[in-house]
Amino acid sequence: MSANDLPPIKNYPAWLWRIFRKVFVVVFFGIGTVIIGAIVFPILRLFNPKKTAFKKAGHKFISLVLDFYIHLMSWIRISTYKISDLKAMRNLRGCVIVANHPSLLDVIYTLAFVRDADCIVKAGLKKSLVSVIVKNLYITNNIDFETMQKECVEALHNGGNLIIFPEGTRTPRHGTNQYKKGAARIALAAGANVQPMHIGGNDKYGLGKGESMLCVNHTERYKYEFTILPQIQMSKYAGLSETIAAKRLTDDMRSIIDSVN
């Protein structure tokens, strides 16, 4: 996790300008979450008093806001993206979406693409800029697996989608992490098909785990390429024991996602 393998900085004013723009979008994001928590969520609760209705309305609103946010990052030349089949992502219903996880922005892009998506996020986010959004809309990973699985299955049966990064943490800039079986176990329990997605593009230095906000890819914008891959049907694992089915499904997820490389 260092910049040693990046080309040396040749244009320091341009490098500082990249850092300023990165800090700006982070501050913009933080101010936006405060406004959402203080103004938008109370209004949504007023018109959607039931928890399920509120979460669906909240998911759609956050998706629309993040759609604007990723375009803002493109406009000010922080990042740019291509997606192979946005229509397919917009039309997903009751699917588990799995992907590799190279950067901090992966979940932001994915939530922007999918209008009704829940997400399993790390519990530490309850003490971050996005705490008000996480507490109201998403599932944290600090609860026991049975409770988490129950919440996920309920969300999927209500027609929503579920975003899970099977590695459980961000992918190293060089190398990979082992895939965990939680995503497979949830998909099998819900009988929900799995939608794999590969996240590619250029070097994401500055957006990886443990990297400072002041780190940037100083040679070019962050480029994202999202490849929507064939869905995995749960019927393929019918008749298998839970343990074997979860292992095979996890292996299939990894094989399909890694096939893009």
Side-chain angles (χ1 to χ4, degrees):
M1 288 291 189
S2 73
N4 294 336
D5 52 350
L6 293 178
I9 299 171
K10 296 181 179 180
N11 187 333
Y12 278 89
W15 171 64
L16 290 171
W17 178 232
R18 289 181 191 278
I19 292 176
F20 173 80
R21 285 179 290 165
K22 184 179 178 184
V23 172
F24 168 78
V25 295
V26 171
V27 172
F28 183 91
F29 188 88
I31 293 172
T33 60
V34 172
I35 294 172
I36 289 170
I39 299 174
V40 178
F41 278 179
I43 295 173
L44 287 180
R45 285 193 185 279
L46 183 63
F47 290 97
N48 302 276
K50 293 185 177 180
K51 181 179 178 181
T52 302
F54 170 75
K55 288 192 73 171
K56 281 190 172 292
H59 289 159
K60 184 174 183 179
F61 178 81
I62 293 300
S63 180
L64 291 169
V65 169
L66 293 180
D67 209 347
F68 168 79
Y69 188 70
I70 63 176
H71 283 90
L72 171 66
M73 290 192 290
S74 294
W75 295 334
I76 64 174
R77 302 180 66 80
I78 287 290
S79 64
T80 185
Y81 74 94
K82 295 179 181 178
I83 180 168
S84 63
D85 195 345
L86 179 59
K87 184 177 180 180
M89 296 298 278
R90 289 277 194 262
N91 292 332
L92 286 179
R93 297 290 183 276
C95 283
V96 176
I97 302 162
V98 296
N100 56 316
H101 193 12
S103 82
L104 187 65
L105 296 179
D106 303 336
V107 67
I108 289 177
Y109 273 104
T110 309
L111 286 170
F113 297 150
V114 185
R115 289 295 183 243
D116 185 4
D118 212 322
C119 186
I120 297 177
V121 299
K122 63 180 183 179
L125 290 177
K126 284 187 173 182
K127 298 179 181 179
S128 69
L129 285 174
V130 296
S131 61
V132 67
I133 295 175
V134 169
K135 290 176 182 177
N136 281 278
L137 295 181
Y138 302 114
I139 301 168
T140 55
N141 63 2
N142 63 332
I143 56 179
D144 64 272
F145 183 78
E146 288 71 23
T147 302
M148 181 192 299
Q149 180 173 268
K150 182 180 179 181
E151 290 187 25
C152 292
V153 169
E154 182 180 349
L156 290 163
H157 286 174
N158 285 332
N161 302 288
L162 181 67
I163 300 168
I164 304 178
F165 297 102
E167 292 173 85
T169 187
R170 275 169 272 178
T171 313
R173 289 177 63 230
H174 304 293
T176 59
N177 295 313
Q178 183 177 358
Y179 274 36
K180 298 180 180 180
K181 298 184 180 68
R185 291 173 63 187
I186 290 168
L188 290 163
N193 292 336
V194 173
Q195 176 60 69
M197 178 175 70
H198 179 268
I199 304 173
N202 65 353
D203 195 291
K204 303 299 188 298
Y205 178 67
L207 298 176
K209 186 174 182 179
E211 293 175 346
S212 167
M213 184 173 65
L214 299 181
C215 298
V216 293
N217 181 332
H218 52 260
T219 60
E220 57 186 338
R221 286 186 285 176
Y222 295 116
K223 296 178 181 177
Y224 285 83
E225 295 180 3
F226 298 91
T227 305
I228 312 307
L229 299 160
Q231 279 193 20
I232 304 174
Q233 307 293 318
M234 288 305 98
S235 57
K236 179 179 179 180
Y237 310 96
L240 298 177
S241 70
E242 180 183 346
T243 302
I244 294 175
K247 184 180 185 309
R248 289 191 182 177
L249 176 52
T250 302
D251 290 343
D252 287 345
M253 289 178 192
R254 175 145 219 167
S255 176
I256 292 171
I257 291 171
D258 286 352
S259 69
V260 178
N261 294 327

